[in-house]
Amino acid sequence: MKKFLFLITLISFIFVTACTQNPTNANGTSSESNSQTELTIAAAASLTDVTKELAVKYNETNPNTKLTFTYGSSGALQTQIEEGAPVDVFMSASKKQMTALDEKKLILEGTYKDLVKNQVVLIVPADSSADISSFNDCATDKVKIVALGDPKTTPAGQYAQEMFEKLGIWDSLGEKINLATDVRQVLSWVETGEADCGLVFKTDAMASDKVKTAALPPAEVDKAADYPVGIINATKVPDEAKKFEEFLFSNDSKAIFEKFGFETSN
């Protein structure tokens, strides 16, 4: 009888141990195989739409990776990373912010790479009847309010100021300028008519049917906007971060970037 009870106890112990080591979900598969790795990506506001589609494509082959995006101006994101925000990957709309982080040893060595290019354009409300067709028009009576991102923190605003300065009209704009926290706020102001015109990236203009592109920058002041990507040195999931960065340079990703108006390298 004692041997029988011992055998029953031993079998029960083995069964419980096996269940503990290999927990299963309702589908009968191991929960360990379904555990997720979370990757936090700080991305420039102008990347909002394209990154949503990139995430869907990435998860088709990496279903156990949860991609969490935080959006904002590149300057604001840079500050957050410098202050220790839990970020794994940074996608900036300018080299300025990425270089600053790299110089402070906050970017993982060998992961700072140029990803895509963009262009700043002048937009007006889609139903605008104003005769605004050039950057120089911003300095005329045709425009009462021109919106742009704060040059101190937003790459689009920085590029806009540089172009206006080269055209010799920056100082004359004066109180006409309304500064936004990022290009999406500029887009919103122009969409609603709060601003007569605004300067955003080409990709932002393409994302809205409530605005239209009034002018491209003159060739003599045009400047390509470089978008770099880099992995944050403090990431706790470097392998997954590198895997995602590699994906951003894949043919699938290039096709998505181009669909949204970004220029990719060959």
Side-chain angles (χ1 to χ4, degrees):
M1 184 67 172
K2 290 182 179 180
K3 289 184 179 180
F4 177 77
L5 291 174
F6 174 77
L7 182 60
I8 294 297
T9 301
L10 178 61
I11 293 173
S12 298
F13 174 77
I14 293 173
F15 177 78
V16 171
T17 302
C19 290
T20 303
Q21 291 179 343
N22 297 287
T24 59
N25 58 26
N27 296 321
T29 58
S30 172
S31 61
E32 287 185 359
S33 64
N34 292 328
S35 61
Q36 283 195 322
T37 297
E38 184 169 2
L39 203 61
T40 301
I41 301 136
S46 52
L47 290 165
T48 301
D49 299 307
V50 69
T51 49
K52 289 178 181 178
E53 190 157 326
L54 286 168
V56 172
K57 175 58 74 172
Y58 187 75
N59 283 139
E60 286 179 3
T61 53
N62 299 274
N64 293 331
T65 301
K66 179 182 178 182
L67 301 180
T68 300
F69 289 88
T70 177
Y71 301 102
S73 69
S74 296
L77 295 174
Q78 173 197 339
T79 299
Q80 292 171 18
I81 292 169
E82 289 173 338
E83 293 176 349
V87 172
D88 302 300
V89 179
F90 180 35
M91 298 173 71
S92 176
S94 171
K95 288 185 176 182
K96 177 182 177 181
Q97 289 75 25
M98 190 71 73
T99 298
L101 293 176
D102 192 42
E103 290 176 346
K104 293 181 180 180
K105 309 298 182 184
L106 295 178
I107 301 297
L108 192 64
E109 186 177 355
T111 66
Y112 177 170
K113 302 174 182 178
D114 291 334
L115 183 57
V116 293
K117 294 181 183 295
N118 210 338
Q119 181 186 41
V120 172
V121 299
L122 181 68
I123 60 171
V124 296
D127 58 358
S128 174
S129 59
D131 182 24
I132 301 172
S133 59
S134 75
F135 277 52
N136 283 306
D137 282 340
C138 294
T140 70
D141 293 337
K142 297 177 182 179
V143 174
K144 294 181 180 179
I145 299 177
V146 56
L148 61 140
D150 188 337
K152 294 179 181 178
T153 57
T154 67
Q158 176 192 336
Y159 294 133
Q161 179 178 347
E162 291 175 359
M163 288 190 284
F164 280 137
E165 287 176 340
K166 289 180 180 178
L167 290 171
I169 61 174
W170 174 252
D171 293 334
S172 66
L173 296 179
E175 295 182 357
K176 288 185 177 184
I177 297 176
N178 269 19
L179 296 180
T181 55
D182 57 50
V183 288
R184 286 309 168 105
Q185 187 172 42
V186 174
L187 185 66
S188 176
W189 286 347
V190 178
E191 286 178 333
T192 58
E194 294 178 62
D196 300 308
C197 60
L199 288 101
V200 298
F201 287 117
K202 176 181 68 175
T203 53
D204 296 298
M206 291 175 59
S208 173
D209 59 4
K210 296 179 182 179
V211 303
K212 58 185 177 182
T213 298
L216 300 178
E220 65 270 23
V221 301
D222 193 9
K223 181 179 180 181
D226 294 303
Y227 281 56
V229 60
I231 296 173
I232 305 306
N233 218 352
T235 180
K236 296 180 180 180
V237 285
D239 290 340
E240 191 61 51
K242 289 177 181 178
K243 187 175 182 180
F244 177 71
E245 185 180 60
E246 289 175 4
F247 161 76
L248 293 176
F249 291 89
S250 68
N251 289 333
D252 284 339
S253 292
K254 287 182 178 180
I256 293 172
F257 276 120
E258 291 171 0
K259 171 185 173 182
F260 282 86
F262 291 92
E263 180 183 339
T264 62
S265 58
N266 294 328

